[in-house]
C-alpha cells in the first residue's frame, strides 16, 4: 500500500479493528466491501466536498449586504480548507505540489473562457484576476486533490498503461483544443478517438478492503466525469458561475459537458502520473488476488 498520511494511518488501524470481524464471504462481507468503498471515495473527495458545501451554504445563507463579497468569502474559505488539510496531514506536501499545478492550469483556462464568454462569475470582490475570482482555481485543485488521494487510498495499479510521453501528447492536444476550438475546427471527437486508442487497453486494478477489483480505465474516467457534472450542477445552481443559457434562469448543465469533463480527466490523470508513476499489478512482487482467492486475504489499508 502506498503511504498513508498520519491521520489516515490512525483511521486505518481503527477501521481494521471493526472490519476484520466481518466474515470472509457472504452478504455481510459484500456489504462491508461496499461500505469501505463508499467511505474511501468520500475521504478522497473531502477537499471538493468541503468546498462544494461552502459554495452551497453561501448561496443559501450568506448575506447579500455583507461587507465581504461572497466571492472573496469563498476564496478565503478555500484557502483555509487547504491550509487545514496540509496542517493536519490530510494531504502531503508532495500532493500539494500536484494540487497547485492543477490550480494554475485551471486558472489559465478560466481567464480565457470567461474572456470569450463561455461562462461568467458575479462581478464582485477584490480577490480576483480579471473576471475570475480566485476561488475558481480551487475547484480544479479539488479534482487534483481527489486524483492523488484516490491513487493511494485504493492502491491503484495499472495493467498495460500507455507510455507516459504518448499520454502527455494527448493531454496537451486536449488542453490546446479547449482554447483553439473557439477560432478553428473543434477536434474534441478526434481527441476522444485518440483517448480510446491510447487508453483502451489499460485496466485499473484497485483494492477496497480484502478484495481486489479490476475496471477498464476508460470506464473510471467516465464515472468520475459524471460525478463532476453532478457537482457542476450544484455549483451553478449556487451561482458560483453561470453558463450563458443559465443567466435568465437556472437549468441543468447540458449533458454534452460530460465530454468536456471526460477529456479533462485525461489531463488530470496525466498530471498525476508524472508525480506518481503508474505501476503494474505485479510491481514489487505484489499481485492483487483473483476473486476466488480473495476471501482470506488481509489488505494493508482500509
Amino acid at each position: 500500500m502506498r503511504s498513508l498520511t498520519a491521520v489516515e494511518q490512525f483511521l486505518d488501524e481503527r477501521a481494521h479493528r471493526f472490519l476484520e470481524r466481518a466474515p470472509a464471504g457472504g452478504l455481510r462481507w459484500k456489504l462491508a466491501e461496499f461500505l469501505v468503498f463508499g467511505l474511501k471515495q468520500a475521504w478522497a473527495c473531502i477537499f471538493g466536498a468541503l468546498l462544494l458545501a461552502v459554495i452551497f451554504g453561501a448561496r443559501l445563507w450568506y448575506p447579500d449586504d455583507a461587507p465581504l463579497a461572497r466571492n472573496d468569502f469563498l476564496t478565503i474559505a478555500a484557502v483555509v480548507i487547504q491550509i487545514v488539510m496540509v496542517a493536519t496531514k490530510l494531504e502531503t506536501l508532495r500532493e500539494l505540489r500536484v494540487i497547485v499545478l492543477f490550480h494554475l492550469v485551471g486558472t489559465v483556462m478560466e481567464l480565457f473562457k470567461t474572456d470569450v464568454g463561455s461562462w461568467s462569475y458575479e462581478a464582485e470582490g477584490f480577490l480576483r484576476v480579471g473576471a475570475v475570482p480566485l476561488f475558481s482555481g480551487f475547484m480544479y485543485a479539488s479534482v487534483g486533490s481527489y486524483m492523488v488521494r484516490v491513487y493511494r487510498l485504493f492502491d491503484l495499479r495499472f495493467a498495460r498503461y500507455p507510455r507516459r510521453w504518448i499520454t502527455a501528447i494527448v493531454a496537451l492536444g486536449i488542453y490546446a483544443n479547449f482554447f483553439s476550438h473557439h477560432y478553428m475546427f473543434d477536434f474534441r471527437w478526434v481527441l476522444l478517438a485518440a483517448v480510446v486508442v491510447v487508453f483502451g487497453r489499460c485496466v485499473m486494478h484497485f483494492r477496497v478492503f480484502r478484495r481486489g477489483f479490476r475496471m477498464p480505465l476508460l470506464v473510471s474516467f467516465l464515472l468520475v466525469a459524471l460525478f463532476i457534472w453532478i457537482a457542476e450542477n450544484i455549483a451553478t445552481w449556487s451561482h458560483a458561475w453561470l453558463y450563458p443559457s443559465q443567466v435568465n434562469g437556472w437549468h441543468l448543465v447540458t449533458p454534452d459537458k460530460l465530454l468536456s469533463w471526460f477529456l479533462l480527466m485525461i489531463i488530470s490523470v496525466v498530471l498525476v502520473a508524472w508525480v506518481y508513476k503508474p505501476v503494474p499489478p505485479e510491481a514489487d512482487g505484489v499481485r492483487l488476488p483473483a476473486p476466488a482467492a480473495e476471501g482470506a486475504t488481509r489488505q494493508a489499508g482500509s
Side-chain angles (χ1 to χ4, degrees):
M1 182 82 182
R2 293 177 177 86
S3 297
L4 300 175
T5 66
V7 175
E8 289 167 343
Q9 186 65 43
F10 174 83
L11 295 174
D12 179 76
E13 292 170 358
R14 277 146 186 81
H16 267 295
R17 294 178 184 177
F18 171 77
L19 290 169
E20 286 179 343
R21 291 180 293 181
L27 180 60
R28 288 183 60 193
W29 169 61
K30 293 179 180 179
L31 289 175
E33 291 280 348
F34 181 76
L35 174 64
V36 174
F37 177 82
L39 291 174
K40 280 188 172 184
Q41 286 288 346
W43 188 249
C45 293
I46 188 170
F47 183 91
L50 289 173
L51 182 58
L52 190 62
V54 171
I55 290 173
F56 185 80
R59 167 65 171 168
L60 294 178
W61 299 298
Y62 197 76
D64 293 333
D65 57 352
L68 182 68
R70 187 176 69 155
N71 283 348
D72 288 348
F73 166 77
L74 293 176
T75 298
I76 294 171
V79 172
V80 170
I81 292 171
Q82 186 66 82
I83 292 174
V84 170
M85 290 193 66
V86 174
T88 57
K89 301 187 184 303
L90 297 182
E91 283 179 349
T92 66
L93 291 177
R94 186 184 185 190
E95 291 170 350
L96 182 61
R97 292 198 295 269
V98 181
I99 293 167
V100 170
L101 182 58
F102 273 80
H103 197 298
L104 295 174
V105 168
T107 299
V108 171
M109 186 184 298
E110 287 286 323
L111 289 168
F112 177 82
K113 289 292 189 178
T114 53
D115 186 62
V116 298
S118 296
W119 54 79
S120 60
Y121 294 89
E122 294 179 347
E124 59 175 15
F126 296 100
L127 302 177
R128 59 195 303 116
V129 178
V132 180
L134 295 181
F135 79 83
S136 65
F138 285 95
M139 294 185 291
Y140 292 88
S142 67
V143 177
S145 175
Y146 169 79
M147 294 297 298
V148 294
R149 291 165 66 79
V150 80
Y151 197 83
R152 54 184 172 76
L153 289 173
F154 287 92
D155 195 21
L156 298 187
R157 296 170 186 269
F158 303 89
R160 297 184 297 276
Y161 191 86
R163 294 184 181 274
R164 288 191 294 172
W165 67 267
I166 297 176
T167 66
I169 292 174
V170 174
L172 286 171
I174 292 171
Y175 191 66
N177 191 70
F178 279 125
F179 298 86
S180 64
H181 83 269
H182 291 279
Y183 307 107
M184 55 185 292
F185 182 75
D186 188 349
F187 289 94
R188 70 181 63 193
W189 292 104
V190 177
L191 291 165
L192 177 61
V195 168
V196 172
V197 171
V198 171
F199 290 95
R201 297 176 62 249
C202 185
V203 177
M204 180 178 68
H205 293 244
F206 62 98
R207 189 187 290 281
V208 179
F209 173 46
R210 289 179 173 138
R211 186 179 179 188
F213 294 86
R214 292 184 288 269
M215 177 186 295
L217 190 58
L218 291 177
V219 174
S220 70
F221 291 163
L222 181 59
L223 291 175
V224 175
L226 176 61
F227 280 101
I228 294 176
W229 179 78
I230 293 172
E232 181 181 38
N233 277 286
I234 297 173
T236 54
W237 178 87
S238 302
H239 285 209
W241 74 89
L242 290 172
Y243 291 103
S245 62
Q246 295 175 319
V247 172
N248 295 322
W250 182 84
H251 58 78
L252 284 175
V253 177
T254 55
D256 67 317
K257 290 294 181 182
L258 277 170
L259 177 57
S260 297
W261 287 117
F262 180 86
L263 293 175
L264 182 68
M265 288 306 305
I266 308 303
I267 299 174
S268 304
V269 169
V270 170
L271 287 175
V272 173
W274 281 102
V275 177
Y276 292 102
K277 184 179 179 180
V279 296
E282 304 82 4
D284 304 321
V286 177
R287 178 186 293 271
L288 293 181
E294 288 159 357
T297 304
R298 181 190 185 279
Q299 77 100 4
S302 63

